[in-house]
Amino acid sequence: MHSVTKKHEKLLFLLFSAIIFIFRIWYIRESNVLAIRNDEYGYWTHAALFSGHDWSDVFAGHMNWYSYGYSLILTPLFWISHDLHFMYKTAIVLNGIFSILTFALCIQCAQMLFPKMKTWMTYTISFMVCMYSSYITQGPIAWSETFLYLLIWLLFYLFLRFEQRPRVSLALMLSLCMGGCYITHNRTIGIVTAYFLIVLFLKLTDAIDWKLFAALLLPLVVILFLNVNVKTYLCMTEGFGLKPKNGMGAQKEHLLSLLTIEGWQNLIRALSGQLWSLMTSTFGLLYWGLLRCFMRILHAFRTKKPEKHTVFYLFTLLAGIGTFLISAISLIDPASITNLESDTDLTYFIYTRYDECVIGILMLLGFVELAARKKNSRFALLTAGGICLYAVMSIILYFNLQRITDTWHYRSFCAAGIGFYRLFSEKFAMRWCILIGAAGFFILLGLLTADTFYCYATQESIPIHSISRKKFKRLCMTFCCILLTAAFIPTGLYSARIGTISSQLGKVSSKNLAMYDKLKEVVGKKDVYCTLDDTKNYRIAYELQVNLIDTHVYSITMEDLPVQEEGYFVCCSNGDLDSFEENDFYLFAQSSSYAVLVKGDALAAEISAQTEETLVNLKEL
């Protein structure tokens, strides 16, 4: 019987893993190109440099700093292939693999935190957590988010292992993992701060000796020190330069604004918006997760008898608060929050992308807390407190949004969890978010308190099918997980489509990709000069470089084009075609917005013979 149960559990794990993988690569057939802001370009630029490619002439003038941890994962792709379409799809498949590993780590954490829970129930709850809508949305994007989620879950897992059995080897791995999180995304500085505070707390309370103290800190300190040097090297080599925006100077204005009343008002706005969005998207599970951490710490403080995992709950709480604060502070942009205008980016108020790295563990804790807590007057009081907190945040956000008349400006991949409002409105509809979020919470509340009614019904001999209360409880919990997953999947996929896939398909429909492929066939060792169009859109130069991996691309202005030379290619805006006065420019390829020109009669003749097509001189157009 035991072997049969184990076999069923393995099959359940494989089934859940397959579903997680499938929904991470759901759009893989359409994921061919980089599409999201400058972040992806930043990561791929580092990977190109690590594999021996110099893209500095394109990215130096317009790019800011991005961490290089994820770039180390992308670097081997340059060793395997120089076909960007294949490389990009491989990165998406890696996202699927990272997600399966995240699922496995979530299960391990849940089993250590809740050892009495049935294994299949642990699998089901962990599956629901890993199907969170924002996790799905990040799947078809080749940037650091999905890999970062894996590292954060590994961090929590190693912390629990260390808490169970403090050893030098685990302390070293924990410290290395914390360093890996930071070099993957600097926004984890809030978690790094929480880590330092916890290690200091453990030493001051004599919970660890000097050997463990050193093992917990030394690797991390070394990584942080080396990171400064690596960052300096990359900024100088790739041409970003040590600009204020590439270091702590970027946050200087934000931090200084906290010395003013207006700065604190901006912080409250940003923090309220983030927490409101996360509470809505998780149907209140964020609140119960934070509450579980706080109540466990408070109980240990009152009784002066730390329970099992008290330190873990303290670390989780500090990491969550630190992440929320760092994210909110980074969004205190006076031009976008203080001076609200009709075209203000709505995302500044509901930006949750940086917070998603800690949302998983809080959802896990929150779901179990809501299900396990006794349904009594204290539970009713805590529930009422959560509703009041949510109402306050909703009011703060509502009155600030009233100052924005144009609420379409919203980056869905940065706040994917509340994408379900688009089922009812094309524009951002806060009322629908509240109604759906509240309805979801009360449905969960009803299902997770149904066992109390069931117990009452059986005791009062009310006709009802007789099963044990524990089995009925697990049945209700399973149904809740199914409902949550059913809500997360369409929301995550829709946010991915409108935030990522639509941008990628736009590049296909504009025929930019066809133009790059045609140029790739003939460019050889020739240089490509990309001139800036009237909108100063540097993206076309970025796209050229990542598609022509081995080609030297220059990003320049029309005035700086070396017209006295020949034997190179030019990519320019269609609107600039009339600006070429020389007689040796030939039209080679064209998209809806851009064109590729050949400079020089000799090169034009060579390409004509190679492609068996006649190139048209611009003067003849």
Side-chain angles (χ1 to χ4, degrees):
M1 183 65 182
H2 180 70
S3 60
V4 173
T5 303
K6 284 292 184 182
K7 185 177 180 180
H8 288 167
E9 290 172 354
K10 289 181 180 179
L11 290 175
L12 187 63
F13 175 80
L14 291 175
L15 174 63
F16 285 158
S17 296
I19 295 174
I20 289 171
F21 182 80
I22 288 170
F23 280 103
R24 293 307 191 278
I25 67 167
W26 187 263
Y27 291 116
I28 193 168
R29 289 185 301 173
E30 301 170 76
S31 298
N32 292 305
V33 293
L34 283 65
I36 304 300
R37 301 295 184 268
N38 293 340
D39 301 56
E40 283 184 298
Y41 295 116
Y43 300 132
W44 286 81
T45 298
H46 292 325
L49 181 66
F50 295 155
S51 59
H53 299 82
D54 181 11
W55 292 356
S56 60
D57 284 306
V58 169
F59 294 93
H62 323 301
M63 186 69 72
N64 292 305
W65 168 255
Y66 291 92
S67 298
Y68 56 89
Y70 179 62
S71 303
L72 298 174
I73 302 297
L74 297 176
T75 299
L77 299 182
F78 284 83
W79 303 338
I80 299 171
S81 171
H82 282 184
D83 181 354
L84 181 66
H85 303 317
F86 171 80
M87 295 165 69
Y88 200 88
K89 288 180 184 295
T90 303
I92 302 306
V93 171
L94 286 176
N95 280 348
I97 295 173
F98 295 153
S99 298
I100 293 175
L101 295 175
T102 297
F103 175 51
L105 288 171
C106 183
I107 290 173
Q108 292 297 315
C109 291
Q111 288 177 338
M112 285 187 280
L113 289 166
F114 315 110
K116 296 181 180 180
M117 186 179 291
K118 292 286 186 179
T119 302
W120 67 267
M121 191 74 250
T122 302
Y123 286 5
T124 304
I125 297 174
S126 298
F127 169 70
M128 177 272 294
V129 169
C130 291
M131 291 300 288
Y132 177 57
S133 51
S134 289
Y135 287 3
I136 295 175
T137 298
Q138 305 301 338
I141 309 175
W143 59 2
S144 66
E145 256 58 25
T146 302
F147 179 60
L148 180 63
Y149 301 153
L150 171 62
L151 288 180
I152 297 297
W153 273 105
L154 179 60
L155 180 71
F156 287 127
Y157 167 72
L158 290 173
F159 196 100
L160 284 168
R161 287 285 306 277
F162 178 79
E163 189 180 48
Q164 283 183 338
R165 189 178 176 186
R167 290 183 296 175
V168 171
S169 58
L170 283 173
L172 291 173
M173 286 190 289
L174 184 58
S175 187
L176 286 171
C177 183
M178 186 71 264
C181 292
Y182 183 72
I183 66 171
T184 300
H185 207 303
N186 291 167
R187 298 296 183 193
T188 56
I189 186 64
I191 303 177
V192 173
T193 304
Y195 180 84
F196 275 117
L197 291 174
I198 287 296
V199 173
L200 183 61
F201 171 77
L202 291 174
K203 186 67 190 77
L204 292 176
T205 56
D206 293 325
I208 57 174
D209 56 22
W210 283 105
K211 182 187 291 186
L212 287 175
F213 180 75
L216 286 169
L217 288 184
L218 188 59
L220 176 58
V221 171
V222 171
I223 290 174
L224 294 178
F225 175 77
L226 291 177
N227 179 68
V228 174
N229 293 280
V230 173
K231 181 176 180 178
T232 301
Y233 168 77
L234 291 176
C235 283
M236 299 308 295
T237 302
E238 295 176 323
F240 302 152
L242 299 177
K243 297 178 289 187
K245 196 168 185 178
N246 293 336
M248 285 301 295
Q251 309 301 328
K252 181 180 178 181
E253 184 178 356
H254 297 169
L255 293 172
L256 289 178
S257 70
L258 294 179
L259 300 177
T260 65
I261 295 178
E262 185 178 55
W264 279 98
Q265 290 175 341
N266 290 342
L267 179 63
I268 292 173
R269 288 168 179 157
L271 191 57
S272 296
Q274 287 179 98
L275 294 178
W276 173 87
S277 182
L278 290 170
M279 285 186 67
T280 302
S281 64
T282 63
F283 303 99
L285 294 184
L286 171 70
Y287 169 75
W288 290 101
L290 291 172
L291 183 67
R292 180 181 182 89
C293 295
F294 178 77
M295 296 300 289
R296 292 304 175 98
I297 297 166
L298 182 62
H299 181 266
F301 178 78
R302 285 179 174 176
T303 60
K304 298 182 180 180
K305 294 180 180 179
E307 297 179 349
K308 192 176 182 181
H309 304 309
T310 298
V311 177
F312 174 79
Y313 286 124
L314 178 59
F315 174 59
T316 302
L317 183 63
L318 292 176
I321 293 174
T323 301
F324 298 149
L325 285 174
I326 291 296
S327 180
I329 291 172
S330 69
L331 297 175
I332 300 177
D333 188 340
S336 295
I337 291 183
T338 306
N339 303 315
L340 293 178
E341 298 175 357
S342 62
D343 62 346
T344 294
D345 190 343
L346 178 66
T347 315
Y348 277 90
F349 291 95
I350 54 176
Y351 195 100
T352 59
R353 194 181 112 216
Y354 296 151
D355 304 321
E356 308 295 353
C357 61
V358 295
I359 196 66
I361 188 66
L362 293 173
M363 287 179 63
L364 173 65
L365 297 175
F367 185 85
V368 176
E369 176 69 12
L370 183 58
R373 181 168 281 278
K374 293 182 179 179
K375 309 309 184 286
N376 50 26
S377 58
R378 188 177 186 184
F379 173 78
L381 184 63
L382 292 173
T383 302
I387 294 173
C388 291
L389 177 62
Y390 183 70
V392 170
M393 292 187 297
S394 300
I395 292 171
I396 293 174
L397 182 61
Y398 174 79
F399 281 106
N400 280 286
L401 292 185
Q402 294 309 299
R403 301 161 64 187
I404 305 176
T405 57
D406 189 357
T407 55
W408 67 270
H409 197 11
Y410 157 62
R411 285 173 274 174
S412 59
F413 57 88
C414 292
I418 57 173
F420 48 60
Y421 81 85
R422 286 183 176 267
L423 294 171
F424 303 94
S425 173
E426 281 299 317
K427 293 185 178 181
F428 179 74
M430 186 178 176
R431 64 182 180 278
W432 284 114
C433 289
I434 294 175
L435 288 174
I436 297 172
F441 169 71
F442 284 113
I443 289 173
L444 293 182
L445 193 63
L447 287 172
L448 295 178
T449 56
D451 65 308
T452 303
F453 168 77
Y454 179 83
C455 183
Y456 168 78
T458 54
Q459 289 176 352
E460 295 296 326
S461 299
I462 297 176
I464 191 168
H465 182 66
S466 180
I467 59 175
S468 69
R469 181 177 181 180
K470 287 185 178 180
K471 287 184 178 180
F472 184 76
K473 180 73 171 181
R474 288 194 290 267
L475 182 64
C476 291
M477 291 173 65
T478 301
F479 190 54
C480 284
C481 289
I482 293 173
L483 286 178
L484 286 169
T485 304
F488 292 153
I489 289 175
T491 303
L493 289 178
Y494 186 77
S495 295
R497 170 160 286 279
I498 64 175
T500 305
I501 302 304
S502 295
S503 298
Q504 294 178 343
L505 293 178
K507 294 183 180 182
V508 175
S509 63
S510 68
K511 299 182 180 179
N512 280 354
L513 295 185
M515 183 177 68
Y516 302 148
D517 290 339
K518 189 175 181 181
L519 177 57
K520 188 186 300 183
E521 295 176 359
V522 300
V523 68
K525 297 296 183 181
K526 300 293 190 299
D527 294 333
V528 177
Y529 291 92
C530 184
T531 61
L532 310 182
D533 63 15
D534 294 336
T535 62
K536 302 300 181 185
N537 184 1
Y538 311 126
R539 289 289 191 83
I540 191 66
Y542 297 172
E543 293 176 23
L544 267 172
Q545 184 63 88
V546 297
N547 280 276
L548 307 177
I549 292 175
D550 298 307
T551 302
H552 202 143
V553 178
Y554 297 86
S555 179
I556 63 175
T557 62
M558 286 287 295
E559 292 75 14
D560 295 327
L561 193 65
V563 293
Q564 301 303 319
E565 303 174 12
E566 60 179 37
Y568 59 83
F569 294 87
V570 179
C571 181
C572 66
S573 168
N574 285 333
D576 289 333
L577 291 177
D578 294 334
S579 302
F580 293 90
E581 300 178 353
E582 288 72 18
N583 296 320
D584 56 350
F585 282 100
Y586 296 82
L587 181 64
F588 172 67
Q590 196 169 20
S591 68
S592 60
S593 300
Y594 295 93
V596 173
L597 309 178
V598 173
K599 175 64 165 67
D601 298 329
L603 181 58
E606 177 185 334
I607 293 176
S608 293
Q610 182 178 346
T611 60
E612 297 182 353
E613 65 177 83
T614 303
L615 303 188
V616 181
N617 191 293
L618 285 188
K619 294 298 183 181
E620 299 177 4
L621 289 177

